[in-house]
Amino acid sequence: MVSVRVSVFSTIFGENGVEEIRREAQGRFAEKQDEWVLRYVESGEADAETRTTVRAKEDSITVIRSGGLDFRHTYRPGKTATSRVLTPAGETEMEVKTLDYRRRRWERGGELRFSYDLRMGGENLGTYQLHIQWREEP
């Protein structure tokens, strides 16, 4: 795995309008046959860390998070899937309808883009767009 700088851009379209979040993190990237593996750690509130592993294949992307929010979910365009999410408040069900997914590589970097409609605990939380970009550290 090579050291990379990761930028995560999230846009959430919900009942209360549009929310944009940008995060930066140090990470590691590896390409294994048709799968790209990106690992990074985000620092959160009260020095809590969230570890994220992204496994991007040609037709799907799996996100595994552990820390304040624990889950494993695979996103496939045109498919709706459910998974369990563990939060500090307890366990709930997450239902995701994946709308779009694209991945792209270039020399010393790459990006992943995907969007989905999210329901959690039976409540519609809106449409999410994620753009994850990385570049190798010198």
Side-chain angles (χ1 to χ4, degrees), residues 14 36 38 47 50 61 69 75 77 102 104 109 115 127 130 132:
W36 304 347
L38 181 64
D47 295 327
T50 301
I61 182 168
L69 190 69
Y75 303 81
R102 295 184 308 268
R104 191 168 65 117
S115 61
T127 299
L130 265 75
I132 303 170

Side-chain angles (χ1 to χ4, degrees), residues 76-137:
R76 288 184 177 86
K79 305 284 185 195
T80 300
T82 60
S83 56
R84 303 303 277 169
V85 179
L86 184 61
T87 71
E91 188 174 298
T92 189
E93 186 173 87
M94 175 171 81
E95 180 183 295
V96 174
K97 179 182 180 187
T98 306
L99 305 172
D100 185 41
Y101 165 62
R102 295 184 308 268
R103 69 176 193 170
R104 191 168 65 117
R105 276 281 275 135
W106 54 80
E107 189 176 338
R108 303 176 59 84
E111 68 180 355
L112 306 164
R113 292 177 181 264
F114 61 108
S115 61
Y116 55 91
D117 289 334
L118 177 63
R119 291 178 60 84
M120 206 173 234
E123 183 181 342
N124 184 12
L125 297 183
T127 299
Y128 287 63
Q129 292 179 342
L130 265 75
H131 177 201
I132 303 170
Q133 193 171 50
W134 69 92
R135 63 186 178 285
E136 289 181 24
E137 294 280 279

